[in-house]
Amino acid sequence: MKKIALLIFWVLILVFAPRPAVSVEVVPYYNYQFTQGASISPDGDAGFLLNLSNDIGTIVMPADDHSIIGYYSFQYQGPGLKRQEGREFRERYLNHVFAGRHHWSLGDMTLQSQLSIMTERRRSGTNETWDSGLYNFNRYGGSSAVSLDLYGIYSTISLGYHYLTFPNYTDMLAEIRAGADASSTAGTQNHHSLRMAYRGEVKNNVFWLSFNPLFYTRQRVAVDRAQADGSFYSSTKQRELIMNMGGKRSEKLSDRVTIAPEIDLTLRYSNQNYQHFEEATSTTPVSFHDDFFDYMEPSLTLPVSVRLGSDWTYFASPSFSYRRYMHRNPRDSEGNFVGGEKQNRLLGVHTTGFRKQTGESSATVFFFTYQHQSSNMEFERYASYNYDGFSLGIRFHMEY
């Protein structure tokens, strides 16, 4: 897979690169971040924190109005606190991204096109290999965008398509209920993803709006009664729509103090339902829950930075997000659904620290993060919904 991705990466450069009639300008790009520290999980266990990102690319400018970018990104995220609901804190992630991008300037308008490949590998324990992760996925696709001035607003309109495959995904419980037929769940997470987005900039204000429909290739929708094949899935395929909108503003309060408040709203709609089984090996559900995965999630971030001198900056970034499921009932500590209310969670991630400019293109950051999540979901046998966690460490950043 790595050799194929690398080959495609260079092919993209050759395909997009116009034949130069004049001298070609080549500019290298490099971005490196290394984070190391310690974190305390919701269970009170201390562990090492290690994150690494390494981006390398080349910008080729064969003419004044054309630029071609070849790009490779490597990212590793070790065990630690996770923002995603239901994720295990010991999970590790390993990402590779290969991309080729072309920019074409047409006066006051810029056209952008990109093709990319991404692979993500996950490990939930030390005895699991990178290649065997249940939620490993590959993503293939690209996007096109146009940037121009619209009624005094610098605007970017984009359209993208990606296809995601999960080569290892299987639902063992569903296989048991289907008679241990592994083919019944293989590939059910594969889906097509479209994304239509708008981004506008006015002075120091930025706002955005995006629509992201997902079309699953095999996953069928759960229903409230058994079908002809004995399963509780209809012939209708799963579909989802993720909408996101928000805005932020950067405001300089003085020569030393800057704030950049940001608000964001995410809405997710899915036609997928949920059949609840009393026991893992049971073949007869005890309750049916429609539109189980629909939710709304507003969030607010209030970053502030204070310049302490020519090299040092103090920063604080409190962040809050509230997710409320529109149709899902919470569960008590015994796993029983509680009627009369909807499942919700409040997540706060608060980071503070100091940043020292150590060179023209490098900086060192000392940080402390406190993360708190509270929810009316009390069934925590498989994931934590109510917890407090901490992390602290040092981050080195270099870019040129």
Side-chain angles (χ1 to χ4, degrees):
M1 173 59 70
K2 293 181 181 178
K3 292 180 179 179
I4 294 175
L6 187 59
L7 175 62
I8 294 175
F9 172 74
W10 287 112
V11 169
L12 292 174
I13 298 300
L14 295 176
V15 169
F16 281 120
R19 300 298 182 263
V22 294
S23 60
V24 177
E25 184 177 356
V26 179
V27 180
Y29 169 78
Y30 185 67
N31 187 309
Y32 174 81
Q33 288 193 45
F34 176 77
T35 304
Q36 188 165 23
S39 64
I40 301 178
S41 72
D43 298 326
D45 299 327
F48 289 107
L49 173 69
L50 177 62
N51 296 330
L52 173 66
S53 69
N54 200 356
D55 305 339
I56 185 170
T58 300
I59 304 174
V60 180
M61 290 173 283
D64 292 339
D65 53 354
H66 288 276
S67 61
I68 300 141
I69 303 171
Y71 179 84
Y72 166 71
S73 174
F74 166 83
Q75 293 185 350
Y76 169 78
Q77 181 180 348
L81 301 177
K82 302 292 190 296
R83 288 173 175 261
Q84 301 95 326
E85 183 180 81
R87 289 286 173 83
E88 298 181 5
F89 298 104
R90 64 175 180 270
E91 280 188 333
R92 299 167 171 85
Y93 302 85
L94 187 64
N95 291 344
H96 296 275
V97 178
F98 302 86
R101 182 182 300 172
H102 176 231
H103 287 199
W104 184 9
S105 297
L106 297 170
D108 296 332
M109 181 172 64
T110 301
L111 299 178
Q112 306 170 32
S113 57
Q114 174 176 301
L115 294 176
S116 65
I117 297 174
M118 174 181 178
T119 66
E120 177 168 293
R121 301 293 178 258
R122 298 185 190 178
R123 292 178 61 185
S124 58
T126 55
N127 60 341
E128 184 180 34
T129 65
W130 286 112
D131 292 331
S132 62
L134 184 65
Y135 290 99
N136 289 357
F137 71 83
N138 304 314
R139 189 188 71 186
Y140 314 91
S143 61
S144 295
V146 57
S147 299
L148 71 166
D149 187 279
L150 287 176
Y151 305 104
I153 302 174
Y154 183 74
S155 304
T156 299
I157 303 169
S158 61
L159 175 64
Y161 164 79
H162 292 89
Y163 178 57
L164 285 78
T165 65
F166 294 76
N168 300 334
Y169 182 81
T170 180
D171 187 336
M172 290 185 292
L173 296 180
E175 288 176 12
I176 291 174
R177 297 174 186 129
D181 178 13
S183 64
S184 64
T185 62
T188 53
Q189 293 300 301
N190 297 355
H191 61 269
H192 303 277
S193 173
L194 296 175
R195 186 174 186 273
M196 297 157 284
Y198 172 82
R199 175 186 172 93
E201 299 180 29
V202 181
K203 295 182 179 179
N204 53 345
N205 302 291
V206 179
F207 52 94
W208 58 85
L209 174 67
S210 67
F211 298 87
N212 182 197
L214 309 178
F215 304 92
Y216 287 75
T217 60
R218 288 200 58 192
Q219 181 62 62
R220 298 182 295 164
V221 174
V223 291
D224 58 354
R225 57 179 59 87
Q227 304 298 291
D229 60 358
S231 73
F232 287 85
Y233 290 94
S234 69
S235 59
T236 303
K237 300 290 181 59
Q238 181 174 334
R239 299 185 305 275
E240 295 183 359
L241 174 62
I242 304 171
M243 295 188 296
N244 179 260
M245 63 195 76
K248 63 180 179 180
R249 175 183 176 88
S250 179
E251 184 71 28
K252 203 169 184 180
L253 300 182
S254 69
D255 291 339
R256 293 180 178 272
V257 181
T258 302
I259 61 172
E262 176 179 331
I263 57 173
D264 187 273
L265 174 64
T266 299
L267 302 172
R268 184 165 191 150
Y269 299 95
S270 174
N271 66 342
Q272 186 59 274
N273 309 312
Y274 174 65
Q275 279 282 14
H276 181 60
F277 294 81
E278 188 70 28
E279 301 292 339
T281 57
S282 173
T283 58
T284 303
V286 295
S287 61
F288 174 77
H289 307 264
D290 57 358
D291 301 322
F292 192 72
F293 299 94
D294 294 359
Y295 67 77
M296 64 176 295
E297 183 171 5
S299 64
L300 172 65
T301 305
L302 299 169
V304 58
S305 63
V306 181
R307 188 164 55 86
L308 302 178
S310 59
D311 297 332
W312 286 91
T313 301
Y314 167 77
F315 65 90
S317 181
S319 175
F320 306 88
S321 66
Y322 175 77
R323 176 178 295 186
R324 183 180 187 275
Y325 288 90
M326 301 178 186
H327 305 282
R328 183 190 301 188
N329 300 119
R331 300 168 71 177
D332 61 22
S333 58
E334 300 299 321
N336 301 311
F337 284 94
V338 179
E341 55 182 312
K342 304 303 177 185
Q343 183 177 328
N344 62 70
R345 72 96 191 256
L346 177 63
L347 172 65
V349 181
H350 314 298
T351 300
T352 187
F354 295 90
R355 182 180 187 272
K356 177 176 173 55
Q357 192 72 30
T358 54
E360 183 178 352
S361 57
S362 61
T364 302
V365 176
F366 306 89
F367 68 90
F368 172 82
T369 298
Y370 167 62
Q371 183 166 320
H372 171 77
Q373 179 171 293
S374 60
S375 173
N376 59 356
M377 173 68 163
E378 299 178 0
F379 185 64
E380 302 184 299
R381 182 180 301 174
Y382 306 109
S384 298
Y385 291 89
N386 296 273
Y387 64 84
D388 294 277
F390 307 86
S391 63
L392 71 163
I394 183 172
R395 179 183 301 114
F396 176 73
H397 177 214
M398 179 173 63
E399 180 178 24
Y400 67 85

